């Protein structure tokens, strides 16, 4: 069984409790707030260094604040920096959305009575502020911990050990889900199993100590860890919280009943996609004045880029023989089919396989998916073409 990247797929011990990280693992706060530090530094004539910020990922705010002030030689103390920048982050928190698969897993564990905790290096009051915008989260988590409630934050194991203690669980029977290297280090130091869903998708080699490395929580399989399996797949298709992308088509390439589109995604649209969204999806595509079509969408990474650059490759299902160039494209992604292979994830040679098209085609005829075509996100259009919903 391929559990994504490198991993030890079968747990050696039965997992009885789960501990989640917050930022970048369950909540897309890092995308929602991504320009805050950059804009803040610009006020002081400084330029953000992405490598330094990647290395700060997951660390305590107090520690990060001190190192930011030092690294950028800001004319502020760490406390002054924090007081000045935190309100800018708080303004963005309401925009943060649950990462793909997070709500699904949280509600699944709650349904089956599996205790689960939230353990973040953020201050407890900031944790509460962030999750207050997510329906039900405050009530669903068995335990909520902030970094200021333990002696030392991650990479120290303190916060995970305290979470386990409050849940009445042994550390050896706990599974941690993390996105940062410091979080993985802390979980291993606590003697716990850990699944990494990296916020640094092009640097998975840094997560080699994790028991499993996934591209998305949609790939998570509870039964591997002795937890109750999901039961929400419908004919090999998984309903998901909708994703929306807009772009311009540069060309269309008809192949075997599926027209591959090369698109330039709208910057604000593609930037709204989480980093942890790799996989094969399906949904609806509105193509300019041509109508609304069924579509399979592969999302992966540009292997030739030094930074994490998302590649979106839609394929209209059905015969479509018209020349396409410069057309506006709207993608409403409503379901998930599978993870990409290691080779496909770099999208150097992704080619939608017949099974993907068949699953998407059949699923989009089901009421639970076909009804989504009327979403207000897709402008009204006259549906036509053999790949279109009839």
């Amino acid at each position: 069984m391929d559990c994504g990247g490198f991993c030890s797929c079968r747990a050696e011990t039965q997992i009885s409790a789960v501990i989640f990280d917050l930022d970048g693992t369950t909540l897309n706060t890092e995308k929602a707030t991504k320009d805050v530090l950059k804009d803040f530094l610009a006020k002081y004539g400084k330029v953000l260094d992405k490598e330094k910020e990647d290395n700060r990922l997951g660390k305590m705010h107090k520690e990060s604040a001190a190192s930011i002030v030092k690294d950028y030689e800001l004319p502020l103390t760490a406390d002054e920096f924090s007081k000045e920048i935190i309100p800018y982050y708080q303004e963005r928190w309401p925009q943060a959305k649950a990462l793909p698969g997070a709500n699904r897993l949280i509600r699944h564990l709650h349904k089956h009575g599996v205790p689960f905790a939230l353990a973040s290096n953020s201050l407890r009051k900031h944790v509460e502020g962030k999750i207050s915008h997510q329906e039900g989260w405050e009530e669903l988590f068995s335990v909520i911990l902030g970094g200021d409630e333990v002696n030392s934050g991650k990479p120290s194991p303190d916060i995970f050990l305290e979470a386990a203690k409050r849940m009445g669980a042994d550390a050896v029977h706990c599974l941690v889900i993390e996105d940062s290297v410091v979080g993985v280090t802390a979980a291993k130091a606590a003697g716990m199993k850990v699944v990494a869903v990296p916020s640094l998708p092009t640097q998975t080699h840094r997560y080699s100590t994790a028991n499993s490395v996934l591209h998305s929580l949609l790939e998570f399989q509870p039964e591997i860890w002795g937890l109750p399996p999901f039961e929400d797949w419908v004919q090999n298709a998984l309903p998901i919280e909708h994703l929306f992308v807009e772009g311009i088509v540069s060309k269309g390439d008809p192949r075997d009943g599926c027209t591959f589109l090369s698109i330039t995604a709208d910057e604000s649209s593609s930037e709204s996609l989480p980093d942890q969204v790799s996989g094969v999806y399906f949904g609806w595509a509105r193509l300019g004045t041509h109508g609304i079509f069924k579509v399979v969408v592969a999302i992966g990474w540009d292997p030739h880029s030094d930074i994490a650059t998302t590649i979106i490759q839609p394929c209209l299902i059905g015969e479509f023989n018209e020349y396409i160039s410069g057309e506006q494209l709207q993608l409403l992604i409503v379901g998930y089919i599978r993870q990409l292979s290691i080779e496909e994830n770099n999208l150097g040679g992704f080619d939608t396989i017949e099974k993907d098209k068949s699953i998407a085609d059949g699923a989009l005829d089901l009421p639970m998916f076909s009804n989504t075509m009327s979403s207000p996100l897709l402008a009204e259009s006259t549906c036509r073409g053999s790949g279109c919903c009839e």
Side-chain angles (χ1 to χ4, degrees), residues 221-237:
Q221 298 182 43
E223 63 273 20
I224 290 175
W225 306 99
L227 297 168
F230 287 120
E231 298 175 338
D232 51 356
W233 287 81
V234 181
Q235 296 183 12
N236 295 313

Side-chain angles (χ1 to χ4, degrees), residues 28-103:
N28 200 15
T29 41
E30 290 163 354
K31 278 278 187 175
T33 62
K34 75 178 189 67
D35 288 330
V36 169
L37 181 58
K38 177 183 175 183
D39 294 343
F40 182 91
L41 292 173
K43 294 194 307 180
Y44 290 91
K46 309 294 182 179
V47 178
L48 184 139
D49 185 319
K50 188 176 185 307
E51 183 176 352
K52 288 181 179 179
E53 300 318 312
D54 284 350
N55 289 331
R56 267 189 274 270
L57 189 68
K59 293 186 177 181
M60 294 279 288
H61 173 78
K62 185 176 181 180
E63 180 185 356
S64 293
S67 62
I68 287 171
V69 167
K70 180 180 178 181
D71 287 347
Y72 294 104
E73 299 180 343
L74 296 176
L76 303 166
T77 65
D79 285 343
E80 289 170 339
F81 168 80
S82 294
K83 290 178 181 178
E84 191 171 335
I85 199 170
I86 285 296
Y88 294 103
Y89 281 106
Q90 291 173 325
E91 288 176 5
R92 303 283 188 89
W93 289 343
Q95 301 172 27
K97 296 180 180 180
L99 283 158
N103 272 319

Side-chain angles (χ1 to χ4, degrees), residues 257-280:
C258 194
T259 301
F260 285 82
L261 303 179
S262 297
I263 69 168
T264 302
D266 174 83
E267 182 177 353
S268 61
S269 180
S270 61
E271 282 296 322
S272 68
L273 283 178
D275 289 333
Q276 303 93 326
V277 76
S278 166
V280 179

Side-chain angles (χ1 to χ4, degrees), residues 128-139:
E128 292 175 344
K130 294 169 188 177
I131 68 173
S132 68
H133 304 288
Q134 307 303 312
E135 184 178 354
W137 282 25
E138 290 175 288
E139 297 77 29

Side-chain angles (χ1 to χ4, degrees), residues 61-319:
H61 173 78
K62 185 176 181 180
E63 180 185 356
S64 293
S67 62
I68 287 171
V69 167
K70 180 180 178 181
D71 287 347
Y72 294 104
E73 299 180 343
L74 296 176
L76 303 166
T77 65
D79 285 343
E80 289 170 339
F81 168 80
S82 294
K83 290 178 181 178
E84 191 171 335
I85 199 170
I86 285 296
Y88 294 103
Y89 281 106
Q90 291 173 325
E91 288 176 5
R92 303 283 188 89
W93 289 343
Q95 301 172 27
K97 296 180 180 180
L99 283 158
N103 272 319
R104 176 196 185 210
L105 180 52
I106 287 169
R107 285 168 171 72
H108 176 76
L109 295 175
H110 183 262
K111 174 184 175 182
H112 290 280
V114 178
F116 56 98
L118 186 62
S120 170
N121 261 356
S122 293
L123 299 178
R124 172 61 183 261
K125 64 179 182 181
H126 293 165
V127 173
E128 292 175 344
K130 294 169 188 177
I131 68 173
S132 68
H133 304 288
Q134 307 303 312
E135 184 178 354
W137 282 25
E138 290 175 288
E139 297 77 29
L140 292 175
F141 281 97
S142 308
V143 171
I144 297 174
L145 275 172
D148 54 328
E149 297 180 89
V150 293
N151 290 331
S152 301
K154 308 168 194 176
S156 162
D158 290 6
I159 196 166
F160 290 138
L161 293 173
E162 181 63 22
K165 179 182 177 181
R166 294 192 186 187
M167 288 190 290
D170 291 334
V172 72
H173 295 297
C174 288
L175 175 68
V176 173
I177 301 180
E178 265 283 357
D179 75 302
S180 69
V181 175
V182 295
V184 170
T185 301
K188 298 302 287 187
M192 299 176 179
K193 295 293 187 289
V194 57
V195 170
V197 190
S199 284
L200 304 173
T202 59
Q203 300 181 32
T204 54
H205 59 280
R206 298 179 60 188
Y207 297 79
S208 59
T209 59
N211 297 91
S212 175
V213 180
L214 308 179
H215 301 116
S216 160
L217 275 179
L218 293 173
E219 297 176 5
F220 184 76
Q221 298 182 43
E223 63 273 20
I224 290 175
W225 306 99
L227 297 168
F230 287 120
E231 298 175 338
D232 51 356
W233 287 81
V234 181
Q235 296 183 12
N236 295 313
L238 176 66
I240 65 169
E241 293 169 288
H242 298 173
L243 300 169
F244 185 71
V245 179
E246 290 185 283
I248 301 295
V249 177
S250 57
K251 69 175 181 177
D253 180 14
R255 277 180 274 163
D256 301 323
C258 194
T259 301
F260 285 82
L261 303 179
S262 297
I263 69 168
T264 302
D266 174 83
E267 182 177 353
S268 61
S269 180
S270 61
E271 282 296 322
S272 68
L273 283 178
D275 289 333
Q276 303 93 326
V277 76
S278 166
V280 179
Y281 298 81
F282 65 89
W284 303 102
R286 182 185 184 278
L287 180 61
T289 60
H290 296 284
I292 299 177
F293 294 81
K294 293 177 177 178
V295 66
V296 178
V297 185
I299 303 177
W301 303 100
D302 182 354
H304 308 297
S305 176
D306 293 331
I307 59 175
T309 303
T310 305
I311 298 294
I312 305 165
Q313 191 172 77
C315 185
L316 303 182
I317 298 174
E319 301 296 333

